[in-house]
Amino acid sequence: MANTKQARKRARQAEQRRQHNASQRSMVRTYIKRVVKAIQTGDHGQAMTEFKAAQPVIDRIADKDAISKRKAARIKSRLNKRIKALAA
């Protein structure tokens, strides 16, 4: 347990940041699920619409370090690959 006033404050801040980051990661997962659901229905247009909505959200959360930039790039690449396979 934190003993000094500064350490107690840092612990409070860390907990707030952890909860906020968890919320942001959850939001990203929701956007990803929407894209995957559109892909599974086989609707290329809907999948593209959902993907275009998800891309800036994924990038924004990666910029804030709630997820790593590499993971964001990997997610976008894999989703895009699946959408392109629908069109083919």
Side-chain angles (χ1 to χ4, degrees):
M1 185 63 208
N3 291 321
T4 64
K5 186 175 178 181
Q6 176 185 355
R8 283 192 294 272
K9 180 179 177 180
R10 294 300 294 168
R12 258 194 331 269
Q13 288 176 329
E15 179 59 20
Q16 288 172 341
R17 198 169 294 116
R18 184 190 69 79
Q19 289 178 355
H20 185 260
N21 285 343
S23 170
Q24 298 293 306
R25 281 191 297 271
S26 175
M27 182 176 65
V28 167
R29 283 194 298 268
T30 301
Y31 274 92
I32 292 167
K33 285 177 193 173
R34 287 181 191 167
V35 177
V36 170
K37 187 175 179 183
I39 290 169
Q40 288 174 342
T41 60
D43 187 355
H44 182 262
Q46 180 67 23
M48 279 304 294
T49 304
E50 294 292 350
F51 182 63
K52 285 180 181 176
Q55 259 183 317
V57 173
I58 294 169
D59 287 333
R60 190 165 57 246
I61 301 310
D63 284 339
K64 294 178 182 178
D65 281 338
I67 62 173
S68 74
K69 288 181 188 278
R70 289 173 191 241
K71 181 173 184 175
R74 198 166 51 243
I75 289 168
K76 290 187 302 180
S77 174
R78 288 176 181 170
L79 288 174
N80 198 27
K81 186 169 78 172
R82 289 175 69 179
I83 291 170
K84 283 184 178 179
L86 272 182

